Amino acid sequence: MFYSNKKLISPTTINELHAIMKSRTNGIFFAGGTYIMNQQNYLKEEDTIIDLSNIKELDEITRNIQFVDVGCMVTANKLLDIGKLAFTDLLLDTLHNTATHIIRNQITIGGALCTPDIRYSLPGTLSIMNTVVELLDLSQDKLVSKFIPIDKLYNTKGELQIEKGVLLKKIRISLDNYDFEKFFCIGDPIRKPESTLIISFRANIDQTILNKVNMCVTFPTCGMYISNEIAQELIGAQLPLTISRTIIISEKITNDIKKEITGISALQIERCKRLIQSILFEIEPNQESIEISEGLF
Amino acid sequence: MIKLSFTLNKNRLELMVSEMKPLSQILYEDLQIDTQERNCNGKVCGNCLVLFDKEPTLGCLIPAFKLQNKTVTTFDSFMQTAHYRNIRRIYTQLNIEPCPNCYAAKTLIFESILLKSKTKASQTSTLDDFSKNFVNKGKNIFDKPEILAETIEREFLISPCPCMNSQELFEIAIKAQEDRIKRRVL
Ligand SMILES: Cc1cc2nc3c(=O)[nH]c(=O)nc-3n(C[C@H](O)[C@H](O)[C@H](O)COP(=O)(O)OP(=O)(O)OC[C@H]3O[C@@H](n4cnc5c(N)ncnc54)[C@H](O)[C@@H]3O)c2cc1C
Ligand code: FES
């Protein structure tokens, strides 16, 4: 059975964790356990379970005016509760959409970003929020830490690219405000992740001109798509966008997705196209910035 | 193997089990409690729900080593509490209740929703510390413990048995919350 005798180690500090991992290539981090406990053949006979829950430092949230640092062992519910007054709706909607309250009590931020083969909504949303992650390489003699943009954790198939022995220590979420945000999750991510489609979108608007666009489309079992080129093309566009422009852009994006990601169904592509059209069509000129600039003259 | 010491339904227990054995299987195989699901292999049936340190939790997602010094309450024991009697009263009042297959699971999900709305109402002061450096965007969600229809629908995703519709689930949650406030069931 998958739970037959396993060695278990529960370090209480990062230094202790480092000492354990340096001498061990078969350590498996155990965070909330919602993924690990659901997998039949994930744990191998020789694996040692490394329980991260006693390392206080990994469960901390700190902030300044520009960003919030969230330790990898912070649960999705804790981030949702504490984040209510700090984050914009895009991240809150994404967290609300993650499983159910009962399971969110257990899901950790590190675990949600480090499942080997399935991507839900959090990586996509955090990617377009300019989030960076701190990685700690625990396999080296000296503790090596580096920050990388969150989307660099994955390839286009959505597969995790970090080596065994590397800990995602924390994420740094930037607190920039955007004028327009949308989050959609279509389908049943719990029971039918293979037909689910998730879109995270945000844009900045300067009066009637689009001046910043970030979008990520996630297909949980096939991959993630972030379009920098098309986002670049939209910069400077006059609002509201015409119907024909929204159709052209949505077709470009879906053609790009078909080229980059394999295994997506025709239905997912069609839904994706229509959702992008409706999001683009909804972006309106920024009345507030128009009024401010009129007041200046 | 790990030597566990935990409280099950108010009884202190000691047990030797594998570190990663799920709580749902411990209850069935080691403690002969056969009223709950053992393992649905990721189908998310919800029938292994228990109260783990008072919080509704799926027993198949809790490995043995997490049980050390914790409290587990199974549905049979939960039925002896005022919280259960509150939910049961509303089932009777409205003449609607879950079918026998998912009765325990759905009732514990109601418990989770009601507990959550209670903590929301009492959280304001602890969150102020964190929020004082942020611009208050006027989103004070702590004014009243709201139960939203969409929340209800989402929470019951882990008990997919179709014996009740969303309207019925919503009505029970709202009425049970009113009843708890009226009778001061804390
Ligand atoms: C019924 C159900 C429904 C779900 N629905 C959703 C949903 O709708 N949306 C959603 O986003 N998620 C959902 N999830 C959660 C998701 O599938 C994963 O189970 C979860 O994100 C894993 O988090 P965890 O903390 O439990 O991690 P664990 O299960 O402990 O670990 C997951 C993986 O990450 C590795 N890991 C953990 N922490 C770190 C770290 N700090 N650094 C490096 N590696 C690490 C582990 O070794 C393991 O490989 C659902 C889960 C369940 C059971
Ligand atoms: S046995 Fe736990 S969800 Fe089915």
Side-chain angles (χ1 to χ4, degrees):
Chain A
M1 292 295 276
F2 80 104
Y3 60 79
S4 69
N5 288 343
K6 284 275 164 302
K7 211 161 180 251
L8 169 78
I9 306 183
S10 296
T12 53
T13 62
I14 300 266
N15 284 343
E16 242 178 84
L17 175 67
H18 182 211
I20 293 161
M21 292 299 288
K22 241 184 345 186
S23 56
R24 214 172 284 272
T25 50
N26 55 351
I28 301 279
F29 299 130
F30 190 99
T34 60
Y35 175 85
I36 294 177
M37 294 302 288
N38 249 331
Q39 307 297 310
Q40 288 297 318
N41 302 312
Y42 180 65
L43 298 177
K44 310 271 177 318
E45 204 48 52
E46 65 280 10
D47 286 342
T48 301
I49 303 292
I50 313 286
D51 173 24
L52 299 175
S53 64
N54 294 319
I55 307 177
K56 289 229 163 48
E57 200 182 330
L58 300 180
D59 191 21
E60 284 170 359
I61 301 184
T62 54
R63 82 290 184 194
N64 65 23
I65 316 164
Q66 287 166 333
F67 52 75
V68 178
D69 276 352
V70 182
C72 65
M73 287 301 286
V74 170
T75 63
N77 267 351
K78 184 171 169 187
L79 187 60
L80 190 53
D81 278 341
I82 288 187
K84 268 177 183 137
L85 294 153
F87 300 126
T88 58
D89 288 343
L90 178 63
L91 183 56
L92 299 179
D93 288 351
T94 303
L95 287 166
H96 260 298
N97 191 272
T98 299
T100 73
H101 177 78
I102 288 175
I103 301 171
R104 280 198 305 271
N105 267 340
Q106 237 177 294
I107 294 177
T108 65
I109 299 306
L113 298 176
C114 293
T115 46
D117 50 0
I118 189 149
R119 282 308 129 235
Y120 286 107
S121 44
L122 205 54
T125 293
L126 290 173
S127 296
I128 67 163
M129 292 177 71
N130 305 322
T131 303
V132 291
V133 297
E134 183 181 3
L135 299 177
L136 272 189
D137 189 347
L138 302 162
S139 62
Q140 309 294 320
D141 278 342
K142 206 165 160 258
L143 207 51
V144 185
S145 151
K146 67 173 175 185
F147 280 88
I148 62 164
I150 202 163
D151 54 307
K152 298 285 179 282
L153 285 177
Y154 315 107
N155 61 17
T156 51
K157 287 187 191 154
E159 294 161 340
L160 188 68
Q161 297 299 292
I162 59 176
E163 302 285 323
K164 258 191 162 182
V166 174
L167 176 81
L168 188 156
K169 186 183 170 205
K170 69 178 179 206
I171 63 174
R172 177 165 290 175
I173 307 172
S174 117
L175 288 172
D176 339 311
N177 264 324
Y178 275 62
D179 304 306
F180 179 90
E181 293 185 327
K182 279 277 162 199
F183 173 81
F184 283 107
C185 175
I186 308 290
D188 179 352
I190 295 182
R191 288 193 175 72
K192 291 190 184 139
E194 63 290 346
S195 57
T196 298
L197 162 73
I198 302 160
I199 300 188
S200 315
F201 185 100
R202 66 191 332 203
N204 250 343
I205 302 157
D206 187 3
Q207 300 190 23
T208 58
I209 307 281
L210 257 180
N211 71 8
K212 203 169 187 185
V213 178
N214 297 122
M215 180 184 72
C216 179
V217 184
T218 307
F219 304 92
T221 55
C222 300
M224 283 163 68
Y225 169 85
I226 297 175
S227 161
N228 292 328
E229 264 170 50
I230 295 170
Q232 206 64 34
E233 220 177 278
L234 273 167
I235 293 174
Q238 185 75 32
L239 294 173
L241 295 168
T242 59
I243 293 181
S244 59
R245 182 117 196 230
T246 62
I247 293 174
I248 293 169
I249 295 166
S250 64
E251 298 226 319
K252 259 190 184 174
I253 293 174
T254 43
N255 284 338
D256 228 21
I257 290 175
K258 280 192 274 188
K259 261 188 261 159
E260 279 192 25
I261 303 177
T262 50
I264 310 167
S265 69
L267 179 65
Q268 277 172 306
I269 283 288
E270 192 52 35
R271 279 175 163 171
C272 179
K273 197 188 294 179
R274 300 212 179 258
L275 270 179
I276 293 170
Q277 279 170 21
S278 81
I279 292 172
L280 293 176
F281 200 62
E282 244 186 77
I283 313 176
E284 294 199 330
N286 186 346
Q287 280 307 332
E288 250 176 61
S289 69
I290 294 174
E291 277 157 23
I292 290 169
S293 76
E294 277 171 357
L296 288 174
F297 299 105
Chain B
M1 298 287 263
I2 184 172
K3 188 173 177 199
L4 280 184
S5 175
F6 69 104
T7 304
L8 174 71
N9 299 338
K10 298 194 177 142
N11 299 316
R12 195 85 192 147
L13 294 181
E14 292 208 338
L15 210 62
M16 283 291 282
V17 282
S18 303
E19 287 81 351
M20 291 295 283
K21 189 169 186 173
L23 168 61
S24 52
Q25 301 212 2
I26 297 176
L27 291 178
Y28 187 82
E29 289 171 12
D30 300 83
L31 300 164
Q32 286 74 49
I33 293 177
D34 59 2
T35 47
Q36 298 189 264
E37 180 67 46
R38 275 178 295 168
N39 197 339
C40 63
N41 293 325
K43 291 200 189 81
V44 201
C45 67
N47 291 333
C48 62
L49 273 168
V50 290
L51 298 179
F52 180 63
D53 267 2
K54 298 197 181 146
E55 280 284 341
T57 306
L58 292 173
C60 63
L61 297 184
I62 302 288
F65 75 87
K66 289 275 175 195
L67 292 174
Q68 202 62 275
N69 299 324
K70 301 282 185 192
T71 307
V72 176
T73 309
T74 61
F75 185 68
D76 293 333
S77 183
F78 174 68
M79 285 169 91
Q80 316 303 320
T81 63
H83 280 197
Y84 172 73
R85 286 194 293 278
N86 149 262
I87 300 171
R88 176 66 255 174
R89 214 166 18 247
I90 303 305
Y91 289 162
T92 313
Q93 253 178 40
L94 297 176
N95 200 17
I96 327 168
E97 67 179 51
C99 73
N101 289 336
C102 67
Y103 188 90
K106 287 213 168 54
T107 306
L108 283 172
I109 297 172
F110 279 123
E111 173 66 2
S112 156
I113 292 164
L114 295 164
L115 285 177
K116 187 177 149 210
S117 69
K118 192 181 92 179
T119 47
K120 262 193 176 181
S122 57
Q123 251 175 3
T124 327
S125 55
T126 53
L127 279 165
D128 280 343
D129 254 7
F130 179 83
S131 61
K132 66 184 170 207
N133 279 2
F134 291 108
V135 186
N136 190 335
K137 295 176 190 142
K139 278 196 249 172
N140 194 354
I141 38 84
F142 302 107
D143 287 345
K144 90 177 186 329
E146 243 182 333
I147 294 182
L148 303 170
E150 61 182 67
T151 313
I152 302 285
E153 225 171 293
R154 168 156 285 276
E155 293 311 307
F156 282 93
L157 286 175
I158 57 168
S159 176
C161 172
C163 64
M164 294 171 91
N165 64 36
S166 336
Q167 181 59 36
E168 291 169 334
L169 295 169
F170 184 58
E171 230 174 296
I172 292 171
I174 294 290
K175 287 266 187 288
Q177 188 193 36
E178 284 168 8
D179 186 74
R180 277 191 190 188
I181 293 169
K182 197 172 97 194
R183 292 172 192 259
R184 298 186 169 269
V185 180
L186 299 172

